[in-house]
Amino acid sequence: MSKERYIAAKQKWAEKQKAAGVSARAVASADRLPPGQKLTTGFPVLDLGVQPDIPLNEWTLTIDGMVEKPVSLSWEAFNALPQVVDVSDFHCVTTWSKYDCRWSGVAFTTLYELAQPTPEAKFVYFTSYDGYSTNVPLAQCLDDDVLIATSFDNAPVTREHGGPARVIIPKLYAWKGAKFVKTITFLAEDKLGFWEVRGYSNTADPWTEDRYA
Ligand SMILES: Nc1nc2c(c(=O)[nH]1)N[C@H]1C(S)=C(S)[C@@H](COP(=O)(O)O)O[C@H]1N2
Ligand SMILES: [Mo]
């Protein structure tokens, strides 16, 4: 299927789910598995039909927008930053969840300290090598389980799962975590990302089934 048809199909699905009344629930689940989710032991791959091939010597991570110190990090410079490990559960809006994903890489807060966002910065907009984008309030990016992961289960993040580096924001549906991340932009005003402009919720809370806007 072509990339455009695939995206159109997914968008249609989101519209259908919304029309069927699948929307935010008033009560959050107390279980480990968020409401409406099914546990998977595999690891499905979700993308836009493109898995960009980025040679490590050409890879950069740029941090820009409302920051005192914009920076463009090479693969070497990025990996020289302090490393963290975080084990978290992964929840995709298409109703599968995966427990105990062991990610390691660089904490979002490390990049925050490096680039020094100005007081006006309130939102973060992520852009990827495949043309994907997504947006998250800055406050949620500063949680200690948010990281830019370069390894999964003690091996480099594979290309299909968003390598060389992908964003992990465990408390939100997984579309808020950009695979193949290229740029992190700090913004004063919110700006909707790829799925957010196509009917997905802007807030994306798995615990209240906050799937579609
Ligand atoms: N760059 C990019 N990031 C992305 C996506 C994408 O298509 N492109 N899909 C999102 C969605 S909908 C999900 S569920 C997860 C899927 O990650 P996985 O393929 O490793 O399961 O990545 C998210 N990040
Ligand atoms: Mo997803």
Side-chain angles (χ1 to χ4, degrees):
M1 195 168 12
S2 76
K3 182 182 165 185
E4 288 70 29
R5 281 188 55 203
Y6 176 77
I7 292 166
K10 257 189 117 172
Q11 186 174 356
K12 233 188 166 129
W13 186 75
E15 282 159 9
K16 211 171 133 189
Q17 296 283 303
K18 193 189 168 193
V22 180
S23 60
R25 298 207 323 189
V27 183
S29 163
D31 301 333
R32 181 171 180 185
L33 192 65
Q37 295 292 106
K38 286 182 228 68
L39 190 60
T40 177
T41 48
F43 200 171
V45 172
L46 273 284
D47 58 38
L48 302 178
V50 198
Q51 294 173 355
D53 186 11
I54 311 124
L56 295 182
N57 62 356
E58 287 170 25
W59 182 92
T60 54
L61 177 65
T62 298
I63 307 173
D64 62 12
M66 312 209 68
V67 294
E68 300 287 353
K69 304 208 159 126
V71 61
S72 200
L73 298 162
S74 67
W75 180 248
E76 242 183 8
F78 181 70
N79 285 283
L81 294 170
Q83 301 289 304
V84 293
V85 181
D86 188 74
V87 179
S88 59
D89 297 345
F90 191 100
H91 310 297
C92 172
V93 71
T94 62
T95 74
W96 58 270
S97 291
K98 181 175 175 59
Y99 287 166
D100 296 320
C101 297
R102 188 181 185 83
W103 301 103
S104 59
V106 176
F108 185 91
T109 52
T110 297
L111 300 179
Y112 178 89
E113 282 160 22
L114 195 70
Q116 298 177 22
T118 64
E120 296 84 59
K122 294 280 184 282
F123 298 91
V124 183
Y125 188 83
F126 299 91
T127 314
S128 298
Y129 281 94
D130 61 347
Y132 189 81
S133 55
T134 189
N135 58 299
V136 180
L138 174 58
Q140 285 180 301
C141 292
L142 295 174
D143 281 358
D144 65 2
D145 54 3
V146 175
L147 77 160
I148 292 73
T150 51
S151 118
F152 171 75
D153 279 353
N154 303 314
V157 174
T158 59
R159 186 164 144 199
E160 60 176 4
H161 285 300
R166 72 176 296 170
V167 180
I168 294 295
I169 306 176
K171 294 190 191 77
L172 302 179
Y173 280 123
W175 89 77
K176 289 288 188 182
K179 296 162 71 169
F180 325 110
V181 65
K182 182 182 188 198
T183 308
I184 299 176
T185 306
F186 288 85
L187 299 173
E189 307 290 337
D190 203 5
K191 176 181 166 187
L192 299 181
F194 186 92
W195 286 122
E196 289 83 3
V197 301
R198 289 171 175 79
Y200 282 36
S201 158
N202 193 26
T203 38
D205 173 20
W207 299 99
T208 53
E209 287 213 67
D210 180 16
R211 299 174 194 268
Y212 310 107

